[in-house]
Amino acid sequence: MSKQVPETIKKQVKRSFNSKEVKKEKNEKRMKLLKEIQTKAFKRAEKYEKEYLEQEQKLVELKQQALKEGSFYREPEPKLAFIIRIRGIVGVPPKPRKILQLLRLRRIYSGVFIRLNKSSLRMLHFIDPYVTWGYPDVETVRALIYKRGHARVNHQRKIIDSNEMIYDKLQKFDIVCMEDLVHEIYTVGKNFKHANSFLWAFKLKPPVGGFSTVKKSFVNKGEHGNREQYINTLVKKMI
Amino acid sequence: MTTQQLRPIVSVFPIKGKVKTIKQVPLPSVFSAPIRPDVVRFVHTNMAKNNRQAHAVSTTAGEQTSATSWGTGRAVARIPRVKGSGTGRSGQAAFGNMCRGGRMYAPKKVWRKWHRKINTNQKRYAVCSAIAATAVTPLVMSRGHRVNKLPELPLVVSDQLQSLTKTRQAVKFLKFIGAYRDVEKVIRTKKTRVGQGKYRNRRHVLRKGPMVVYARNLGIKKAFRNIPGVETASVYTLNLLKLAPGSQMGRFIIWTESAFKLLEDIYGSWEKPSKFKSGFYLPRPVMVNTDVERIIKSDQVQTVLRNRRPRSRKYGKKIQRADPYEDMSVMVKLNPYYKTKLQKQKELEEKNKKERKEIVDKSRKEYEDWLYFSEEEEEEEEEEEEEGSDEDREIEVLSDEN
């Protein structure tokens, strides 16, 4: 007996939004878009590598020049900081508690990027005993975003598993791939706010080898507060 | 709602001879009435209360003592106790429902409301539903009737059935038409009643067999009277308790032809009222077309619907992904430039290595050269020493001191 397809089903398939042809078209479009994104990603990554290298070299040059002239080269103040909360939830007074909330540092060993300006520095001042922070370099930013970068998609925390995810959300800010994201964060570009809020707060592991004492500041051989470039070694232990 | 022209046809069968259609009659409108088990259940439960007999406990039961409580201070419960002495009964608790020989809690009264009034229209609705259900084979089967061998449901038989007088004829007819299997079931499953009814003149329990509905009793009542499980009824007085025993619709009914035709007059239709029940029209269904799936899938509905939205990836599966620093394929997916970058780094390293090697080699060579030349000079100096005069020696001595 030949299998007869009911007419209602036939009609349904014809009318269907998800019919084979429509699906095929959509898929083709998507594949094309993905290819575009990947080619863009390649080119931009190349560009950024050059840029970072140039930056480094420029810095060295300027320092050397200053030495030659017998003066000093004052490096530009850092624009980007990475904050890690190193104290738990219990017994935090209201003001630091609120500031930690605002910075999305809601749990211990969570980390966020923040742009440094007068306002944010004052915020950091209040929460110094509860966090450690410093100035991350490119490799730290990269490692964080690649390994522990989760996106905020539809009020959910989803791991970034392809550039398509970034394209969907940040295309209007001309950020289409991971390297774009890294660049925007590291150089604190025009769309830093959007790039940063796209990222969920980083959930880091407790540091390998432990802390000395969180109660003291880094300056006093403890752990909290500003530790400038040493944040990079710490993140390596916590990532 | 069917009109006269659209009503289906039902065959009429003879009562003996060959089982084949001798006539065809249209199906009365009652059989298209809405089948409402909820209405039938409601009406049935209330109707069934109407043949109850009042019963109660004696008004004086448990009260025929002059018991009084002993009060407190006697190390006994404060329940009324039988007065007097000299018998076991004295001092025993009385009156309470918890006491032995006491009156029960809330003694039953005869003026309990035994019967129930049901709205006439509801009653008629239920009967219409029940009649309609008797034509639905799945319902009749699910009620438990053995109807596999019947030529048709509803089963309509010629009016000659009404003239039967002998039970033997009746049984022969039932066997002829294929209804006897149902009777056999009844006979087979006759049991002694479970419970106290067995010694209250309700000893045996029987199933319900076929019901024979006639228009005129010309002997049919007596013919079928003694066949276990079979009931007869006049079409004018169909009883819900018989049509849906236990409020379960789908009694197996054998209609005589005139009874079947009378149904149209007795219950009317949606256009014409009943001739016997004043002002009664058949109940209307809530939905005319109950095939909801078909309605939804129809062209009229589907063409007006908006397109289905793509399945929301809102609460999608948790995406697993390897660490890009450990899995190169993941890294390349995220950063297509990565492999090239590594290559370039490697090239740069090698270039630097080569350069460094050259520099190191060069400086080593220079050092070796210098070493070689300095050795030669020393040798030359030594040679000169051997050839030299005392004066020179002196000078040398001086120089050595220096």
Side-chain angles (χ1 to χ4, degrees):
Chain A
M1 265 230 305
S2 64
K3 219 178 184 184
Q4 291 224 320
V5 181
E7 260 220 53
T8 44
I9 304 255
K10 274 196 209 155
K11 281 193 185 160
Q12 202 174 33
V13 171
K14 217 173 164 189
R15 268 188 249 115
S16 175
F17 180 63
N18 280 331
S19 67
K20 259 195 203 155
E21 297 90 49
V22 178
K23 265 194 190 156
K24 200 170 161 205
E25 227 187 276
K26 272 172 62 179
N27 204 24
E28 279 176 8
K29 265 195 195 159
R30 182 164 170 259
M31 285 297 131
K32 209 166 144 222
L33 182 69
L34 287 177
K35 218 171 169 192
E36 268 182 49
I37 295 172
Q38 293 296 76
T39 47
K40 262 195 197 164
F42 187 92
K43 291 206 185 112
R44 289 193 184 183
E46 205 174 13
K47 183 174 85 174
Y48 296 142
E49 287 299 323
K50 269 201 218 135
E51 195 184 303
Y52 298 142
L53 199 67
E54 276 174 16
Q55 259 183 23
E56 267 184 56
Q57 288 174 344
K58 195 168 169 207
L59 197 67
V60 171
E61 243 186 73
L62 287 168
K63 278 195 184 157
Q64 285 182 343
Q65 197 180 39
L67 258 176
K68 244 196 267 176
E69 292 173 4
S71 66
F72 300 97
Y73 174 66
R74 185 168 178 232
E75 287 177 41
E77 283 177 8
K79 291 186 283 187
L80 176 74
F82 186 67
I83 320 173
I84 307 174
R85 180 174 179 157
I86 52 175
R87 285 189 78 161
I89 294 185
V90 180
V92 182
K95 205 189 202 110
R97 184 154 31 108
K98 182 66 180 178
I99 295 175
L100 288 165
Q101 269 178 31
L102 291 172
L103 293 172
R104 299 189 289 161
L105 297 165
R106 280 181 186 261
R107 69 185 321 161
I108 193 171
Y109 307 135
S110 56
V112 290
F113 288 109
I114 184 176
R115 115 174 59 214
L116 290 176
N117 48 35
K118 184 166 180 203
S119 352
S120 60
L121 279 167
R122 283 191 60 68
M123 286 170 96
L124 288 174
H125 175 73
F126 276 109
I127 59 170
D128 254 354
Y130 303 93
V131 299
T132 182
W133 56 282
Y135 318 131
D137 64 18
V138 188
E139 282 314 313
T140 309
V141 175
R142 253 209 203 103
L144 281 167
I145 295 181
Y146 274 82
K147 189 163 180 198
R148 298 244 176 252
H150 287 252
R152 189 169 57 89
V153 175
N154 260 334
H155 308 287
Q156 284 166 43
R157 177 174 180 261
K158 291 219 155 112
I159 199 162
I160 304 174
D161 75 330
S162 76
N163 289 326
E164 194 185 3
M165 249 177 139
I166 302 174
Y167 180 87
D168 278 341
K169 282 274 158 183
L170 298 174
Q171 181 223 343
K172 53 177 167 254
F173 308 112
D174 201 26
I175 302 171
V176 300
C177 59
M178 285 291 249
E179 280 299 310
D180 266 342
L181 195 59
V182 168
H183 179 256
E184 194 67 29
I185 299 280
Y186 178 65
T187 58
V188 189
K190 261 202 292 187
N191 296 308
F192 174 82
K193 172 194 157 101
H194 301 282
N196 200 15
S197 71
F198 169 74
L199 290 168
W200 198 278
F202 296 93
K203 289 203 217 173
L204 302 171
K205 300 191 293 196
V208 175
F211 281 136
S212 58
T213 164
V214 172
K215 293 198 178 155
K216 289 200 191 151
S217 70
F218 185 76
V219 171
N220 291 320
K221 299 198 200 126
E223 298 292 343
H224 76 235
N226 188 1
R227 61 171 70 203
E228 302 191 2
Q229 76 268 36
Y230 296 102
I231 195 75
N232 294 302
T233 51
L234 179 62
V235 168
K236 274 204 180 60
K237 290 195 207 160
M238 292 178 80
I239 201 163
Chain B
M1 303 207 233
T2 52
T3 58
Q4 197 87 358
Q5 295 97 305
L6 294 176
R7 279 195 279 134
I9 299 289
V10 177
S11 308
V12 179
F13 296 97
I15 62 170
K16 60 184 168 207
K18 257 201 170 165
V19 181
K20 63 173 189 180
T21 317
I22 50 170
K23 203 175 171 188
Q24 291 197 318
V25 288
L27 188 73
S29 313
V30 204
F31 289 95
S32 313
I35 295 176
R36 290 283 299 273
D38 56 325
V39 175
V40 169
R41 183 181 303 128
F42 172 77
V43 175
H44 185 279
T45 49
N46 287 307
M47 225 185 233
K49 295 176 186 171
N50 290 342
N51 66 352
R52 294 196 289 184
Q53 287 183 348
H55 63 266
V57 139
S58 165
T59 42
T60 55
E63 304 277 7
Q64 296 180 65
T65 49
S66 60
T68 319
S69 172
W70 286 355
T72 53
R74 295 255 234 134
V76 288
R78 291 179 276 169
I79 190 80
R81 290 176 187 281
V82 175
K83 296 224 193 59
S85 54
T87 172
R89 180 72 175 137
S90 51
Q92 284 184 345
F95 288 145
N97 53 312
M98 62 285 217
C99 303
R100 181 176 180 278
R103 145 215 34 83
M104 65 178 276
Y105 163 73
K108 296 190 246 208
K109 303 291 182 202
V110 276
W111 55 81
R112 174 188 291 202
K113 186 173 155 198
W114 300 103
H115 306 97
R116 292 287 180 274
K117 197 163 153 209
I118 311 151
N119 300 342
T120 308
N121 214 36
Q122 275 182 331
K123 286 190 276 194
R124 286 172 182 168
Y125 198 129
V127 171
C128 289
S129 272
I131 293 172
T134 61
V136 181
T137 320
L139 285 176
V140 178
M141 284 179 86
S142 88
R143 230 207 123 258
H145 292 292
R146 309 295 189 251
V147 292
N148 288 349
K149 303 287 184 187
L150 293 183
E152 188 174 349
L153 253 189
L155 186 59
V156 186
V157 158
S158 103
D159 280 340
Q160 287 179 344
L161 189 70
Q162 292 170 163
S163 314
L164 289 185
T165 49
K166 302 291 279 178
T167 307
R168 179 175 291 129
Q169 293 168 337
V171 170
K172 200 160 163 223
F173 156 72
L174 288 174
K175 288 184 177 167
F176 161 75
I177 206 77
Y180 197 67
R181 278 195 70 220
D182 212 21
V183 176
E184 279 175 344
K185 171 198 87 181
V186 171
I187 297 167
R188 196 168 19 101
T189 56
K190 179 175 178 179
K191 277 209 331 238
T192 311
R193 185 183 293 264
V194 177
Q196 290 168 348
K198 70 165 88 57
Y199 41 78
R200 294 184 180 173
N201 307 326
R202 292 169 245 139
R203 187 147 186 105
H204 298 290
V205 189
L206 281 180
R207 298 286 101 78
K208 294 268 184 229
M211 184 156 124
V212 182
V213 177
Y214 56 84
R216 280 186 71 194
N217 173 25
L218 300 169
I220 184 176
K221 231 173 141 179
K222 286 209 188 140
F224 282 93
R225 190 166 65 181
N226 205 24
I227 307 174
V230 178
E231 282 172 337
T232 52
S234 160
V235 73
Y236 295 100
T237 53
L238 287 173
N239 186 355
L240 179 73
L241 301 175
K242 300 245 169 75
L243 290 173
S247 81
Q248 181 79 295
M249 291 191 287
R251 183 82 189 264
F252 170 27
I253 300 184
I254 302 170
W255 306 89
T256 58
E257 189 196 327
S258 35
F260 199 67
K261 285 199 216 154
L262 271 169
L263 282 174
E264 183 69 24
D265 290 333
I266 294 171
Y267 293 99
S269 67
W270 297 280
E271 278 88 43
K272 288 212 315 231
S274 156
K275 288 202 180 121
F276 296 89
K277 305 176 198 292
S278 81
F280 178 72
Y281 288 85
L282 275 181
R284 283 164 209 279
V286 174
M287 269 181 98
V288 173
N289 180 11
T290 49
D291 196 345
V292 179
E293 198 183 324
R294 187 128 177 255
I295 293 172
I296 291 172
K297 289 209 169 127
S298 69
D299 275 342
Q300 292 96 315
V301 171
Q302 289 289 325
T303 46
V304 185
L305 295 177
R306 64 159 164 75
N307 276 330
R308 211 191 195 162
R309 294 210 183 114
R311 188 185 297 180
S312 155
R313 279 181 269 148
K314 186 167 184 184
Y315 295 110
K317 278 194 274 185
K318 185 174 181 187
I319 309 167
Q320 305 275 21
R321 182 207 78 182
D323 178 5
Y325 290 100
E326 293 186 1
D327 190 346
M328 182 58 82
S329 61
V330 176
M331 186 50 133
V332 172
K333 188 177 175 196
L334 293 170
N335 184 6
Y337 181 70
Y338 190 70
K339 273 210 174 129
T340 324
K341 177 174 149 189
L342 287 181
Q343 239 178 10
K344 287 204 171 156
Q345 272 180 5
K346 209 166 153 201
E347 283 171 13
L348 194 71
E349 257 184 57
E350 288 191 355
K351 186 166 129 214
N352 287 341
K353 214 171 166 189
K354 213 172 17 161
E355 280 181 11
R356 228 178 308 136
K357 190 163 185 285
E358 283 177 8
I359 294 172
V360 166
D361 284 346
K362 188 161 161 228
S363 70
R364 181 173 292 139
K365 189 163 186 292
E366 280 181 8
Y367 175 70
E368 281 177 358
D369 285 349
W370 173 84
L371 207 67
Y372 177 68
F373 282 126
S374 61
E375 282 179 4
E376 282 189 349
E377 279 177 19
E378 279 183 17
E379 283 177 18
E380 286 177 5
E381 284 172 7
E382 283 175 12
E383 286 175 9
E384 283 176 19
E385 259 183 57
E386 289 169 9
E387 292 175 354
S389 58
D390 294 328
E391 280 186 16
D392 292 320
R393 228 205 229 142
E394 278 181 32
I395 297 168
E396 278 181 51
V397 169
L398 281 171
S399 62
D400 277 340
E401 282 175 10
N402 289 340

